[in-house]
Amino acid sequence: MAEQDLPQTHLPQPPEPAGTSATSAGHSRRSSGRYNPDISSGLAGEEFEAEERGKEAAASDAPRRTRGLKLNLFEDHVTTAPQGTKRVKSIRVARPFIVGSQAWALDESNKPEGTPADHSKGWKVYVKGIENGPDITTWLKKVQFKLHHTYANNTRTVESPPFEIHETGWGGFQVEIRLFFVPEANEKPQWRTHLLQLEPYGTDAEIQAQKEKNLVVSEICEMVDFNEPVEPFYAKLTSEAQWAYMDKGKAKGKNRQGQAWVPKEERTAQLPERSTPTNPFSKETEAAMLDMLRKATDKVHVMIEEEKQAAAERAKGIKSLQDSGDWPQPSRKR
């Protein structure tokens, strides 16, 4: 490294002669930090040459000291990695949750004040945990709902449970839902979508039941996976604290969410084995849906084979007509 390439602050500076200012004519400096040899330094002959040799030796040693100074300066300003970013290897934690909506017809008895005249339905959309499952706030910090652009303030954020919003309207649409995780998760937000169902649907019996109750419920059980979670977050996901809400109100047989109290040994973060009238999502339901899909797939395969056979029969008939000479020849256009 050439001497002129070194920062001024890293080069040795000769001492100031007593009683003389650093800006005086006898001690003016070049930009390199060395004395100007064209101006008398107060030293002559061998003393001046000795001083110059000392400067050159110091300059040759400057790169080593410069590197040391740079390293020290870097170490003074280095920032350590945030605490709790070490991940638990080969571990995946899954949490089921429900995204859903409820809708009901409006009339004079239940129409909120100020509702637009063309709004015939009241509705709410929500994100919640499964019945008797771990507290959803163990991993969920807040939820952002993005509604149709015709709604005022159509992007709304709910920062504490219940994670839901209420509105009125006349037609359904796709609601975009953004899930924000707790700080310990050290994970980016995730998106989900939900179709706002305002009209009764399903079988004739189901449609009739929804009309009688004046309530249309549309829910889906979603799953969020945390692959190799960071250590503090993994500790939360496996802590008994996520079941604390279950023990509140235990003496009355129900927890604070109005659900039946469940003993510790029966608590699970997975889907329950069987469905209940208030919770249709279970391993039993999952198995039934998989069986339905397998049967539907088998039926499609049968229909494909039947169509292949029919196509082969048609091809055979066409070839027979062609061989007999009864097959009409295409006419040429003039």
Side-chain angles (χ1 to χ4, degrees):
M1 182 183 292
E3 180 182 335
Q4 59 269 25
D5 295 333
L6 296 172
Q8 296 183 22
T9 54
H10 293 163
L11 290 176
Q13 301 295 336
E16 300 287 350
T20 308
S21 170
T23 57
S24 64
H27 293 85
S28 59
R29 295 183 175 92
R30 289 181 178 176
S31 60
S32 64
R34 298 186 60 180
Y35 282 110
N36 188 338
D38 298 329
I39 301 177
S40 172
S41 64
L43 301 175
E46 295 180 356
E47 291 181 358
F48 180 80
E49 293 178 0
E51 182 191 35
E52 290 298 303
R53 286 195 297 270
K55 293 177 186 177
E56 292 174 1
S60 64
D61 188 51
R64 288 195 299 273
R65 290 183 290 104
T66 301
R67 285 193 296 270
L69 286 171
K70 287 180 179 178
L71 179 60
N72 291 338
L73 289 172
F74 172 78
E75 290 175 347
D76 289 342
H77 293 84
V78 70
T79 56
T80 59
Q83 295 294 323
T85 57
K86 185 177 180 181
R87 295 191 174 271
V88 182
K89 299 298 183 181
S90 304
I91 291 293
R92 180 177 67 88
V93 179
R95 284 292 182 268
F97 64 100
I98 295 172
V99 177
S101 61
Q102 295 182 7
W104 51 92
L106 294 176
D107 54 31
E108 294 303 323
S109 65
N110 63 359
K111 181 176 290 188
E113 186 178 352
T115 301
D118 60 343
H119 284 198
S120 59
K121 304 289 183 180
W123 57 264
K124 71 175 181 178
V125 62
Y126 49 85
V127 173
K128 65 179 183 178
I130 61 172
E131 187 179 77
N132 295 326
D135 192 340
I136 194 172
T137 59
T138 303
W139 55 269
L140 186 61
K141 174 64 175 177
K142 61 182 179 180
V143 180
Q144 186 180 83
F145 299 90
K146 188 173 183 181
L147 310 180
H148 194 266
H149 65 85
T150 53
Y151 282 88
N153 184 26
N154 67 320
T155 300
R156 306 179 190 181
T157 302
V158 182
E159 301 195 4
S160 60
F163 299 107
E164 62 183 36
I165 57 172
H166 294 247
E167 261 295 353
T168 60
W170 54 265
F173 55 89
Q174 287 282 355
V175 181
E176 296 182 8
I177 300 172
R178 195 177 189 186
L179 308 173
F180 292 84
F181 302 119
V182 295
E184 296 91 336
N186 197 26
E187 298 283 354
K188 296 180 180 179
Q190 291 188 12
W191 286 94
R192 297 292 190 275
T193 59
H194 178 74
L195 176 61
L196 180 62
Q197 183 72 36
L198 300 185
E199 300 296 336
Y201 65 98
T203 64
D204 291 341
E206 290 171 338
I207 291 175
Q208 183 61 33
Q210 294 170 43
K211 288 181 177 179
E212 291 176 357
K213 293 180 180 179
N214 189 24
L215 185 63
V216 178
V217 180
S218 174
E219 293 182 338
I220 186 171
C221 184
E222 291 274 2
M223 193 74 70
V224 59
D225 291 330
F226 300 105
N227 293 311
E228 298 187 344
V230 295
E231 291 178 343
F233 188 43
Y234 181 70
K236 287 194 68 174
L237 293 173
T238 55
S239 171
E240 285 295 324
Q242 62 187 324
W243 303 99
Y245 81 94
M246 184 71 70
D247 296 322
K248 295 184 178 180
K250 180 179 66 173
K252 298 180 181 179
K254 292 186 177 181
N255 57 45
R256 70 178 182 185
Q257 296 180 3
Q259 302 169 4
W261 178 78
V262 178
K264 288 185 178 181
E265 60 273 12
E266 298 180 14
R267 297 173 185 175
T268 175
Q270 305 304 315
L271 289 174
E273 292 294 332
R274 298 189 179 279
S275 303
T276 66
T278 55
N279 177 40
F281 303 107
S282 65
K283 293 181 180 179
E284 179 184 48
T285 306
E286 185 178 48
M289 292 188 67
L290 290 173
D291 184 60
M292 179 186 67
L293 291 173
R294 279 192 292 267
K295 289 179 178 179
T297 302
D298 293 341
K299 185 176 181 180
V300 169
H301 288 321
V302 170
M303 294 173 65
I304 291 174
E305 289 301 321
E306 291 175 349
E307 183 60 31
K308 285 182 178 179
Q309 292 177 8
E313 291 295 329
R314 287 194 297 269
K316 189 183 296 185
I318 291 172
K319 188 175 186 310
S320 176
L321 288 173
Q322 289 175 334
D323 293 342
S324 66
D326 295 335
W327 185 259
Q329 298 296 324
S331 58
R332 294 182 179 180
K333 293 183 178 181
R334 293 181 180 181

